[in-house]
Amino acid sequence: MSFIVAIDGPAGSGKGTITKLVAEKLGFITIDTGAMYRCVTLSALKNNVAPTDEMNLKQILNNIKIEMKKVDGNQKVYLNGEDVTKQIRTTEINKNVSAYSAIPYVRAKITPLQRKMGESQNVIMEGRDIGTVVFPNADVKIFLDASDEEIAKRRYKQNLERGMDVTYEQVLEDIKRRNELDSHREIAPLKKAEDAVYIDSSNLTIDEVVEKVIGIIEVRKTKKQI
């Protein structure tokens, strides 16, 4: 019997970090759904295919192969056999991913792939519509949030560590723009599922958030076994 944990929240809220740490502690498989949409975006940009170019974008989707593998203890993302782990985290991808991920036929292609990954194993999956669309019957749903300013601080620090030349103000503007787009798109908008547990991480350490999430999961697992 599989056990599914869905963690949703805005860009930069820490979903990826928390998901990875919780998965390591509980032995769950982690699936970075955002990376899948980033792969679509990267492929489209490399082939000069705009979000409005339906014919060529559908051709990309028909031939796309996305894999997530553990290599030397690190999770890598492969697009059509190529390691794109770093390529999908650039500023260019950050600016364009919302436009491609909002397209109905893109989501129609990616969502079944996400569901298939969680059919037969204990999975913790993060994204923006996991608890509302991908796994509406998930055993645990969490909405992880933080203020735009706190998210921008975290993302700016990450960018500096990656050697990216971008200002805090640019990062903050990008965060606000992206969350606005994600929250108001017609298909699978970013929103808290009615039965999700809300966690504001603005004033919490990573360890404190991990502890909260694990506590919620353990309670639900115990109830499911009864």
Side-chain angles (χ1 to χ4, degrees):
M1 184 185 296
S2 63
F3 190 93
I4 298 172
V5 179
I7 298 185
D8 291 310
S13 62
K15 302 185 303 295
T17 299
I18 299 304
T19 296
K20 179 182 178 182
L21 292 173
V22 172
E24 288 176 353
K25 288 180 178 291
L26 297 181
F28 279 34
I29 299 297
T30 175
I31 299 171
D32 183 352
T33 60
M36 300 175 79
Y37 289 107
R38 287 173 175 270
C39 283
V40 173
T41 304
L42 176 62
S43 185
L45 293 179
K46 277 188 171 183
N47 290 281
N48 295 314
V49 176
T52 53
D53 188 348
E54 183 173 342
M55 183 179 73
N56 286 314
L57 191 52
K58 283 185 175 180
Q59 185 174 352
I60 286 175
L61 289 168
N62 288 337
N63 296 299
I64 203 166
K65 183 180 181 183
I66 301 170
E67 299 171 284
M68 296 181 191
K69 302 176 183 177
K70 279 285 182 86
V71 180
D72 297 327
N74 297 312
Q75 185 157 304
K76 300 285 188 179
V77 181
Y78 291 83
L79 172 61
N80 299 328
E82 177 188 0
D83 181 356
V84 296
T85 309
K86 292 184 178 179
Q87 291 184 55
I88 62 172
R89 300 294 173 184
T90 63
T91 300
E92 185 179 23
I93 300 300
N94 289 344
K95 288 181 177 179
N96 288 280
V97 64
S98 289
Y100 288 94
S101 63
I103 299 170
Y105 58 82
V106 172
R107 304 197 77 82
K109 173 71 175 183
I110 298 299
T111 297
L113 297 180
Q114 296 169 351
R115 287 187 180 133
K116 188 173 182 180
M117 291 180 180
E119 285 177 352
S120 58
Q121 51 195 347
N122 291 337
V123 166
I124 179 166
M125 188 178 289
E126 58 97 356
R128 286 169 182 73
D129 64 345
I130 308 305
T132 54
V133 176
V134 182
F135 284 113
N137 296 316
D139 297 285
V140 170
K141 298 179 189 178
I142 291 168
F143 192 90
L144 185 60
D145 202 2
S147 68
D148 289 340
E149 291 73 20
E150 178 60 29
I151 289 174
K153 285 180 189 176
R154 297 171 184 174
R155 182 58 59 83
Y156 176 63
K157 183 180 178 182
Q158 289 175 347
N159 288 345
L160 289 180
E161 291 170 351
R162 292 169 180 162
M164 297 169 63
D165 184 18
V166 61
T167 67
Y168 167 79
E169 288 74 20
Q170 289 173 318
V171 174
L172 179 58
E173 182 181 347
D174 185 55
I175 290 291
K176 289 181 176 179
R177 180 188 60 80
R178 185 167 175 198
N179 287 338
E180 179 72 13
L181 285 172
D182 288 347
S183 298
H184 293 89
R185 66 191 183 199
E186 289 186 20
I187 305 297
L190 167 66
K191 66 177 183 179
K192 175 184 171 293
E194 289 185 6
D195 53 347
V197 178
Y198 181 87
I199 298 177
D200 186 338
S201 68
S202 299
N203 299 309
L204 298 175
T205 65
I206 291 174
D207 288 341
E208 287 172 334
V209 177
V210 169
E211 186 178 335
K212 277 181 173 287
V213 172
I214 289 178
I216 293 165
I217 292 171
E218 294 294 0
V219 169
R220 299 287 171 84
K221 282 181 71 176
T222 300
K223 288 182 177 179
K224 189 173 181 178
Q225 293 168 356
I226 293 176

